[in-house]
Amino acid sequence: MASAFPMRWLPRGMASRLYLIIFVGLMLAQGLSFGLMFYERYESATTVMLNTVEHEVATSVAMLDRLPAAERADWLGRLQRDNYRFVLGHGQPGSPVMSARARGLASRIGQEVGPDYQAQADTISTKPERYQVHFRLHDGSTLTLEVTPRGVAPIAQWLPAVLVLQLFLLLACTWLAVRLAARPLAQLAQAAQAMLPTADGPRMSEEGPIEVARAAIAFNTMQERIARHLKERLHILASISHDLQTPITRMRLRAECLDEGEERRKLLGDLHEMEHLVREGVAYARSAHGGAEAPVRMDVKAFLESLVFDYQDMGKPVTLARTVGGAAMVRQQALRRVLGNLIDNAIKYGGTAEVSAWRSEEGELCIAVCDRGPGIPEEQLEQVLQPFYRLEGSRNRDTGGAGLGLAIAMQLTRAIGGNLKLSNRQGGGLAANLSLP
C-alpha cells in the first residue's frame, strides 16, 4: 500500500507521467548543480573579499598613522568603502560577543596590521550585524574600523536570463523525448481500437526505431492470425448451417406425408426450430462482414420513420418517441438489421417497442429501443450479447429463440464501428442503446 499511495498523485496518462518524472529529475539535477555552483562562487567571492579587506585596512591604518593628526579627518571619506569606514576615536560602546565570521575577520586584520597597533574587536549590534576593530596609533590616539557586512552576490546579472533559457530548453527537450516515446504506444492503442470483429483493421506502420518496428510487426502478425482464425470459424459455421438446410427440407417433406397426429406435429415443430437455428447461424456468420457495406448518406428521421411504419403496417406495436433531424453517414442495411433485431427482441419479451434517437455531446448518433418487459438481471446484461446465450426463463419454444438475435446485433454494431449497450429502465423494462460515430 505504501508504494501505491504516491501513484495516486501522478497523472493518469503515460506521456504525462514520463514528462513529469523526466522534467522533475532534470530540474532537481539543475537545481543541485546551481546550488553547488552558487555555494562555491559565494565561498570564493567571500574569501577574495576578506583578503582584499585585510590588505586595504592594513594599508589605510598605516597611512593614517603616518599622517599628521590634523589631516586624518580629511582622509576618512576617501578610505571609506561599502562595507566599512574609519572613525577617529573609540567609536560606539560595544560588547565582546562576536560571530565566528567577525572574529575571523578581526583576527586576520590584527595579523595583517601587526602587534604594534594592538587591534581589539567588539560587537555593536547583531541585527543588523555591525562590529568594530580598535587600533592604537603610534601617537597614542585611537582609530576605529566600523564594519557593516553585506551579502556577497557572486552571480552575474545575465545569469538569471541564461537559467530561464535553460529551463525552456529542458521543457522542449522533455516534451520531444516524451512525444517520441509515447507516440508509438498511442498509435498501437488506436490500431487496437480500430480492429473490427473480423480483425480487418488498419495495419501499423513498421518503420521507426527497432523496438517500435518489432512491436508493429508483432501486432500486424497477431491481427492477421486473428482474422484468419475468425474467418475459418465463420466459414465453418456458415457451411454447416447451409448444408443442414437440405436434409432438414427432406425431413420436412417426409414429415408432411405422415398422417395427422401428435407425433407429426411435434416432428414438424422440431424441424421448424432447426430451420430457425440454421437461418440464425448463417445470419450470425454473415453479420461479421457488415462493415464491408459501403456507408451512404441518409436522413436519420426519414430512415427511422420508415422502419417504424413498416412494423406498424404489419400490426406490430412499435412507436417512434423522438427523433433527430439531419443526415448521417451510415451502413444502412446493417443498421436496419441491428434495429430490426432489437425491435423484434423488445416485442417478443416486452410486448411493445419504443424507438428514440438523439445526438450526444460528442456528435454521435444515438438510437435507443426500449420496452416495458421483465428486463434482464444486472449480472447477465453482458452475457446475453454472447452467441447462443439465453436466460433461464426463455428456454421454451415460444420465446426462447436461438440466442443469436442480440449477438447478431452486437456483432453487426461492432462491424460498422458502433457500440451497443443494454440497461434496465426505471419502472421496469429494457433499453438497448446504440451509438454510432
Side-chain angles (χ1 to χ4, degrees), residues 102-137:
R103 288 196 302 269
L105 179 60
S107 175
R108 286 192 293 270
I109 291 176
Q111 294 175 2
E112 187 70 21
V113 299
D116 294 342
Y117 292 97
Q118 303 176 14
Q120 296 180 354
D122 55 19
T123 299
I124 301 176
S125 65
T126 56
K127 294 182 179 181
E129 185 179 10
R130 290 175 60 201
Y131 52 90
Q132 52 192 7
V133 182
H134 307 283
F135 306 96
R136 176 71 62 178
L137 301 181

Side-chain angles (χ1 to χ4, degrees), residues 381-382 385 410 413 419-423 430-435:
L381 286 174
E382 294 291 336
L385 297 174
M410 184 63 177
T413 302
N419 185 37
L420 177 62
K421 184 177 181 182
L422 303 180
S423 61
L430 184 71
N433 297 296
L434 172 67
S435 59

Side-chain angles (χ1 to χ4, degrees), residues 130-200:
R130 290 175 60 201
Y131 52 90
Q132 52 192 7
V133 182
H134 307 283
F135 306 96
R136 176 71 62 178
L137 301 181
H138 287 90
D139 61 358
S141 61
T142 303
L143 177 66
T144 299
L145 172 68
E146 185 176 306
V147 182
T148 305
R150 295 186 178 182
V152 180
I155 300 179
Q157 294 182 352
W158 49 264
L159 188 57
V162 174
L163 293 177
V164 173
L165 182 61
Q166 284 183 331
L167 177 61
F168 282 106
L169 184 61
L170 287 176
L171 286 172
C173 293
T174 303
W175 176 82
L176 180 60
V178 171
R179 179 178 174 83
L180 292 177
R183 183 168 57 182
L185 292 179
Q187 294 175 348
L188 179 62
Q190 292 175 358
Q193 290 176 352
M195 284 183 62
L196 300 174
T198 54
D200 292 332

Side-chain angles (χ1 to χ4, degrees), residues 221-278:
T221 304
M222 177 195 68
Q223 191 169 209
E224 292 172 357
R225 290 176 180 173
I226 293 175
R228 185 168 58 252
H229 294 329
L230 287 176
K231 289 179 180 178
E232 290 176 356
R233 187 196 69 172
L234 295 175
H235 179 71
I236 292 173
L237 178 60
S239 298
I240 293 175
S241 300
H242 181 269
D243 292 343
L244 282 175
Q245 291 180 357
T246 300
I248 290 175
T249 302
R250 290 198 301 264
M251 293 173 64
R252 171 176 287 278
L253 292 175
R254 292 170 183 171
E256 289 177 350
C257 295
L258 298 176
D259 296 335
E260 293 290 339
E262 185 66 20
E263 292 298 328
R264 179 178 181 275
R265 188 185 63 82
K266 290 182 179 180
L267 182 57
L268 289 176
D270 290 339
L271 291 173
H272 176 74
E273 186 174 350
M274 290 175 65
E275 286 179 336
H276 177 70
L277 180 60
V278 168

